Amino acid sequence: MIADLGIAFGRVVFVMMFVLNLGGLLTWVERKQSAIMQDRIGANRASILGLRLFGLFHPLADAIKMLTKEDFRPARADRFLFGLAPFVSVFFALVAFASIPFGDVLHVSGREIPLQAVTLNVGVLYVFAMLSLGVYGVMMAGWSSGNNFALLGGQRAAALMISAEIAIGASIIGVIMVYGSLDLQSIARAQGELLWGWIPKWGILTQPLAFVLFLTAGIASTKRIPFDTPEGESEIIGYFVEYSGMKFGMFAMADFLETVVVAGMTTALFLGGWQVPYLVAAGFHFPWGATLALPPLVVTLLQVGSFITKVVVMIFFLMLIRWTLPRFRYDQAMRLGWLGLFPLSIANIVLTGLVLLATRPA
Amino acid sequence: MMARAAFLVIAGIAVAAALALVLRRNTVHGALFLVVNLGCVAALYLMLGAIFLAAAQIIVYAGAIMVLFVFAIMVLIPGKEETGPDPRRTWRLLAAPLGGALLLELILLVVGRTAAPAPTGAAPSDNVAAIGRLLFTDYLLPFELTSVLLLAAMVGVLLLARSREGSAEPQGAGPEASVRGSAKPQGSEPEASLR
């Protein structure tokens, strides 16, 4: 009983710490990556006892700065909702990762430990639901500020996120059809099968169109460049103009956390989740016949490492896009969502259905 | 014991949120309380083992429909000071008898069946497949009729939005506005989305 509770607690804490710390680290990655891309040096001033560590202390300095700043509330603001909004934003971004598996089921001394925070047989829907609830934080922030520009920013955010989520939902359906499950763990497991005996059956190969559509819509749902019309920190006014201090920081954090969630979902659905090519429970089984037996613990560590690597690479890619593309105008983003992504997702569903019907084993 | 306590807490929050929805003067607050209420109902589904229903409840009602409600309330309904008193004030007199009748019906229903139907033996571990099978066998006709109804509603909305295009005011920069912008894919879109 105690052991079970401890294991459950450990799983939840591991996922939460993974997402939170990765999200915090992303502020540093964003600065350094953009600096390298633009041939700058980037943040390197924060130092502890002369130690600078490539600016790794900057997230820490940021946190101290945000926490000690004045927490200002406009006179016309709705007191309760103004305070609640950033928490709603962060909460739903944080819990969304819970059903994404970071490893296969672990067998330790007769116990089965699924390597994910919660096992849900509708895991895909859960992540999707949590992402869609995140809209409320943004809308509440825009409305409760008592500022028309913030309200308009909130409206832009809501419209953008709704159109992105519809495209996300429609593009996921193709993946669900191919792997025949709503459970992220069984989707990840099914991606370990081999196509024609040697190609790993990853989602990016079976559903290439859905991968592009999901990634585009996913970037839009994080409200980051090129889809940052709701925020537009530097030029246009966004939903969090009236926020200062840590509450402002929480909105920025929610965007980073959503980036982690989108990268995690992309990994779980399209990049084989925790799968390492040709690695099965007993060790490597290469298609040319060679085998390499490995102890179960090493296999699990390799799988978890593979998952984390894929998520980090995915985040790096998302950041690359963020520093490469210019911002879409609001109507362009809307048109892309409703006239580009959504119809293409529907076409992908129809196409997937036809292919599945044609290749069905009789 | 635990389940009972959890049920009482969730049901209590649900009732409180429903009361707040009716009693709050601020419409945005009311709508957000309705979201809380829908979330509690989803939690009750979850306690009954209907995980898929709970997820669908959150996605469809809390995540999609209520977002649009809140969106519309924030944009379209100004504060009381701008509209003045409600012109249809007298209609409210109807609310009490109608609500009372509904309450009476509910009480009669609940009193009528004291023993709750026993839960079906099979653990609903994979109720997604079960619901899918039911929808496409026993309930195929209602399912298809619902989709036709939704299709009709969608076409109707497009028609309403289109007929206003001639007038000078460009109303609302929502998703509909951009859909309206280009004519070509409209015909295929609503049909396809229901398939």
Side-chain angles (χ1 to χ4, degrees), chain A residues 104-116:
Chain A
D104 202 354
V105 176
L106 186 64
H107 295 272
V108 180
S109 60
R111 231 184 262 282
E112 281 192 0
I113 305 171
L115 292 185
Q116 61 191 125

Side-chain angles (χ1 to χ4, degrees), chain B residues 59-141:
Chain B
I59 292 174
V60 175
Y61 286 101
I65 295 179
M66 280 317 291
V67 169
L68 289 179
F69 263 63
V70 176
F71 189 99
I73 291 173
M74 283 179 181
V75 182
L76 300 177
I77 301 186
K80 190 130 249 169
E81 63 272 18
E82 288 158 62
T83 52
D86 190 350
R88 278 171 300 201
R89 242 189 132 71
T90 44
W91 283 46
R92 289 190 193 168
L93 297 175
L94 269 176
L98 283 178
L102 205 65
L103 186 68
L104 200 71
E105 279 176 34
L106 273 176
I107 290 174
L108 285 179
L109 269 177
V110 171
V111 170
R113 69 171 75 177
T114 42
T120 43
S125 61
D126 193 15
N127 44 32
V128 183
I131 288 175
R133 204 163 291 126
L134 275 179
L135 272 184
F136 284 99
T137 53
D138 292 4
Y139 296 98
L140 184 63
L141 187 65

Side-chain angles (χ1 to χ4, degrees), chain A residues 44-352:
Chain A
N44 67 345
R45 290 288 145 174
S47 69
I48 295 180
L49 302 174
L51 206 64
R52 288 184 175 169
L53 278 181
F54 312 107
L56 259 178
F57 293 125
H58 272 268
L60 211 63
D62 267 344
I64 294 170
K65 180 190 79 175
M66 299 251 184
L67 285 171
T68 50
K69 265 188 167 181
E70 184 191 357
D71 183 20
F72 179 77
R73 196 185 60 231
R76 289 189 59 196
D78 183 305
R79 299 179 67 136
F80 180 67
L81 289 184
F82 188 79
L84 187 66
F87 291 92
V88 171
S89 267
V90 168
F91 176 80
F92 288 116
L94 203 54
V95 294
F97 208 89
S99 74
I100 298 177
F102 54 89
D104 202 354
V105 176
L106 186 64
H107 295 272
V108 180
S109 60
R111 231 184 262 282
E112 281 192 0
I113 305 171
L115 292 185
Q116 61 191 125
V118 269
T119 49
L120 277 175
N121 64 4
V122 290
V124 180
L125 297 183
Y126 168 80
V127 180
F128 185 54
M130 291 304 121
L131 278 180
S132 66
L133 286 181
V135 187
Y136 284 109
V138 171
M139 289 171 84
M140 277 154 70
W143 182 79
S144 66
S145 297
N147 177 332
N148 286 338
F149 291 104
L151 179 62
L152 287 174
Q155 302 300 338
R156 286 199 300 273
L160 179 72
M161 285 167 91
I162 289 174
S163 42
E165 267 142 25
I166 286 184
I168 290 180
S171 62
I172 288 177
I173 291 178
V175 183
I176 296 169
M177 285 163 78
V178 170
Y179 299 110
S181 176
L182 286 171
D183 180 6
L184 283 167
Q185 183 68 272
S186 35
I187 289 178
R189 199 167 293 139
Q191 291 183 70
E193 289 168 18
L194 296 177
L195 222 52
W196 302 302
W198 62 282
I199 302 176
K201 203 178 158 190
W202 287 9
I204 190 170
L205 294 172
T206 54
Q207 287 282 315
L209 181 60
F211 173 72
V212 176
L213 296 171
F214 177 83
L215 205 60
T216 315
I219 296 170
S221 78
T222 61
K223 310 183 290 296
R224 284 162 59 77
I225 294 172
F227 297 98
D228 73 329
T229 38
E231 300 173 4
E233 294 161 63
S234 46
E235 306 93 349
I236 49 178
I237 302 178
Y239 55 89
F240 50 45
V241 248
E242 297 290 356
Y243 283 87
S244 58
M246 200 57 210
K247 282 182 187 157
F248 168 78
M250 285 170 84
F251 281 118
M253 200 166 89
D255 287 1
F256 282 120
L257 294 177
E258 275 168 4
T259 307
V260 179
V261 171
V262 168
M265 270 293 263
T266 315
T267 305
L269 291 173
F270 296 101
L271 301 180
W274 38 262
Q275 298 278 357
V276 182
Y278 312 128
L279 183 68
V280 293
F284 280 104
H285 276 256
F286 295 107
W288 53 86
T291 55
L292 177 68
L294 288 171
L297 195 66
V298 176
V299 171
T300 303
L301 282 179
L302 274 177
Q303 285 171 342
V304 174
S306 144
F307 175 78
I308 293 175
T309 311
K310 284 172 191 168
V311 170
V312 169
V313 168
M314 237 10 258
I315 291 174
F316 182 82
F317 183 68
L318 292 174
M319 290 269 185
L320 213 61
I321 291 174
R322 184 235 187 277
W323 287 105
T324 306
L325 294 179
R327 175 190 300 150
F328 282 114
R329 224 171 45 217
Y330 172 71
D331 60 320
Q332 290 170 332
M334 281 289 141
R335 185 158 294 144
L336 177 69
W338 289 93
L339 298 180
L341 299 179
F342 181 56
L344 277 176
S345 310
I346 303 292
N348 184 53
I349 294 172
V350 175
L351 200 70
T352 308

